[in-house]
Amino acid sequence: MFHSIISNELHGLFYIMSAILIHLVLTPIFIYKEHQRRLLFALILIVLIFLYWKFEDIDPLIYSLHLFPISLIAVILYVGFIPAFITWTLFNIGCMVVLNYYWQPALISSAVILLGGFLITNTSNQTLRMKLTYATGMLLLYEVLYALLALYIRSHITMYAAYTVIFSFFSLWMITYLQFFVRKHEIHKQRLVALEKDRMLGQFAATISHEIRNPLTSTKGFLQLLDQKELSFNDHKRYVDLALSGVDQANAILGDYLNYAKPFSNLQEQLELKEEIEAMLRFITPFATDHQVAIHTCHENEEPLYILGESKKLRQCLMNLIKNAIESMPNGGRISLRTSKLPNAVQISISDTGVGMSKQQLNSLGMPFYTTKEQGTGLGLVVVMSIIKMMNGKISFSSHLNQGTQCSILFHQK
């Protein structure tokens, strides 16, 4: 008898716990509105109960004394009244139609605890002890009412039913415990995400304020110097140029932030990689010459190399990477830019003879606000990596201190 009770109750628990875990673990990934998640739980439970009806050898007493009250109480305590009402309706249909079993005790007893669940409000933030107390009280009320009604109808209660009730309490406590800690973990995760968003927002605001304040302060200082009456023409011109350079620096910082925040457009066109590189080099070469840096290009294949993307964005990425390489060589150096054709892919390799990076610095690349430059924002490389990814590409870096850095971009061809 014990083997039969435990076996049947474990089968019922499998369906209940499956519905609970799907609702608490998987649905938050896809559904963010709470009322939709509650209704989805009811739908999940309906599907699982239909599977239970179809594939299980159902014991009417296990169904009405164990599966029904435990499911209903779990939904009342952790999901909400409307899903609980759907659950109540579904299980009573099972008692009346599917099981062809006398249904009055289950209907009346479940209606009483459903009404009690409606009166219990704001239980989602209760402690585990309170949850267990509510659950035990509702199950005890259900079983007592069921027993009284069953005695009225059939005049006796078997030991099999009594043992089923006893095991039902252990099952309910286990499910309540499980639900409480899964739900608690979800709430903690939501709080951590909210705190991280607040931290990032504060860091974002502090960084942009600091980065823009510096060039604005220097611009203000040079404008104040221009107010001097005895000022030579050369000094006047120099102060104007310096003030304008401060404005340009502030504008460049804002441009980095806007590129970081602005979503990538879906404009896709066929680009010839060599032509894009040559066009980019026409703009960056004067900057490299000023820093005593020589740029050497090598194309391993004579035929054109085509990729899909946006010309302006691609040139922005390449220019940013070349500029980073130039700035890593304060005493001048050499940049090697190489293109090659691979099976189903096109590769661009950029190597420099700069100061290189440590392993820790290399692992931090691509993180917002992380930079090795004194006046950098750390967003330029983030934008580059985002654009490369949107163009069906992959970027990687390798580096050693005082041995330069190598950057590899791989564009997959469809």
Side-chain angles (χ1 to χ4, degrees):
M1 182 171 64
F2 283 108
H3 179 271
S4 176
I5 293 174
I6 293 174
S7 176
N8 281 289
E9 290 201 1
L10 286 176
H11 283 187
L13 280 176
F14 169 78
Y15 289 91
I16 300 173
M17 294 176 70
S18 297
I20 292 170
L21 290 175
I22 291 172
H23 173 255
L24 293 179
V25 177
L26 296 183
T27 54
I29 300 175
F30 306 103
I31 299 177
Y32 301 99
K33 295 183 178 179
E34 187 65 27
H35 70 279
Q36 293 180 352
R37 289 168 56 183
R38 291 175 177 177
L39 293 178
L40 181 62
F41 176 80
L43 179 62
I44 293 170
L45 191 60
I46 288 172
V47 171
L48 291 174
I49 291 304
F50 273 109
L51 293 175
Y52 180 75
W53 289 342
K54 184 174 180 62
F55 296 107
E56 294 293 336
D57 184 15
I58 302 174
D59 185 322
L61 278 176
I62 298 291
Y63 183 89
S64 57
L65 292 176
H66 176 263
L67 187 65
F68 187 1
I70 290 177
S71 300
L72 184 58
I73 292 169
V75 178
I76 288 172
L77 289 179
Y78 289 97
V79 186
F81 179 76
I82 293 178
F85 181 79
I86 297 173
T87 304
W88 175 81
T89 304
L90 179 70
F91 273 95
N92 278 297
I93 290 174
C95 288
M96 297 176 190
V97 180
V98 180
L99 299 184
N100 194 22
Y101 190 66
Y102 75 99
W103 47 267
Q104 295 90 341
L107 175 65
I108 297 173
S109 302
S110 61
V112 171
I113 65 169
L114 181 66
L115 179 61
F118 177 75
L119 297 176
I120 297 174
T121 57
N122 299 323
T123 60
S124 58
N125 295 324
Q126 297 291 342
T127 63
L128 177 60
R129 179 179 295 180
M130 291 298 297
K131 292 285 189 183
L132 289 171
T133 301
Y134 280 129
T136 304
M138 284 192 284
L139 181 59
L140 183 62
L141 179 61
Y142 176 92
E143 303 293 2
V144 170
L145 287 175
Y146 189 99
L148 294 175
L149 292 168
L151 285 173
Y152 178 76
I153 295 173
R154 289 200 168 185
S155 302
H156 71 282
I157 296 178
T158 64
M159 288 300 296
Y160 184 85
Y163 288 131
T164 300
V165 171
I166 293 172
F167 283 115
S168 295
F169 280 97
F170 288 104
S171 298
L172 179 64
W173 294 335
M174 182 177 64
I175 287 181
T176 303
Y177 186 88
L178 172 68
Q179 279 187 296
F180 180 84
F181 281 100
V182 172
R183 179 62 178 167
K184 184 178 180 181
H185 173 74
E186 181 186 349
I187 292 172
H188 284 172
K189 185 172 71 173
Q190 291 173 351
R191 289 176 179 173
L192 287 175
V193 170
L195 288 173
E196 181 64 17
K197 287 181 178 179
D198 291 341
R199 187 188 70 82
M200 290 292 291
L201 182 61
Q203 190 175 10
F204 187 90
T207 303
I208 193 171
S209 299
H210 173 74
E211 295 295 336
I212 293 180
R213 183 183 291 116
N214 289 337
L216 289 181
T217 301
S218 63
T219 300
K220 178 182 177 182
F222 290 122
L223 291 176
Q224 289 174 338
L225 290 174
L226 288 173
D227 195 39
Q228 296 178 3
K229 295 181 178 180
E230 297 180 359
L231 195 65
S232 66
F233 175 79
N234 290 333
D235 287 340
H236 186 278
K237 186 177 184 302
R238 184 164 60 90
Y239 293 156
V240 169
D241 291 339
L242 290 171
L244 290 175
S245 68
V247 174
D248 290 338
Q249 184 182 353
N251 186 57
I253 293 169
L254 286 174
D256 282 344
Y257 281 100
L258 290 174
N259 285 327
Y260 175 68
K262 186 173 68 174
F264 182 76
S265 66
N266 291 322
L267 176 63
Q268 295 283 311
E269 56 183 332
Q270 184 171 269
L271 306 176
E272 206 290 301
L273 197 57
K274 296 178 185 177
E275 293 179 359
E276 298 298 324
I277 290 174
E278 293 300 323
M280 178 273 302
L281 288 175
R282 285 195 291 269
F283 286 96
I284 200 68
T285 298
F287 181 77
T289 302
D290 289 342
H291 289 75
Q292 292 81 48
V293 173
I295 302 177
H296 297 270
T297 59
C298 176
H299 303 294
E300 294 184 358
N301 303 85
E302 294 183 0
E303 67 270 16
L305 302 175
Y306 293 104
I307 62 172
L308 289 177
E310 186 178 347
S311 177
K312 182 180 177 181
K313 296 291 186 181
L314 176 61
R315 295 181 188 183
Q316 174 190 349
C317 291
L318 295 176
M319 194 173 298
N320 199 314
L321 292 170
I322 297 293
K323 186 172 180 288
N324 287 345
I326 293 171
E327 292 174 345
S328 72
M329 296 179 283
N331 299 319
R334 173 190 174 100
I335 294 176
S336 298
L337 197 155
R338 181 184 300 271
T339 65
S340 57
K341 180 73 170 68
L342 303 178
N344 301 320
V346 173
Q347 186 177 33
I348 305 175
S349 300
I350 303 172
S351 303
D352 63 59
T353 57
V355 295
M357 292 179 287
S358 66
K359 186 176 181 180
Q360 182 179 0
Q361 290 174 323
L362 199 62
N363 292 333
S364 300
L365 288 181
M367 295 176 59
F369 312 113
Y370 176 81
T371 179
T372 57
K373 304 177 186 178
E374 293 183 0
Q375 296 183 342
T377 62
L379 292 178
L381 189 56
V382 177
V383 173
V384 168
M385 297 175 76
S386 176
I387 293 174
I388 295 297
K389 183 178 179 181
M390 290 295 183
M391 294 176 61
N392 197 33
K394 182 179 180 182
I395 186 169
S396 59
F397 296 88
S398 61
S399 183
H400 298 281
L401 284 175
N402 301 318
Q403 297 182 25
T405 300
Q406 298 78 43
C407 171
S408 174
I409 308 173
L410 199 66
F411 292 104
H412 297 282
Q413 294 178 319
K414 298 181 180 180

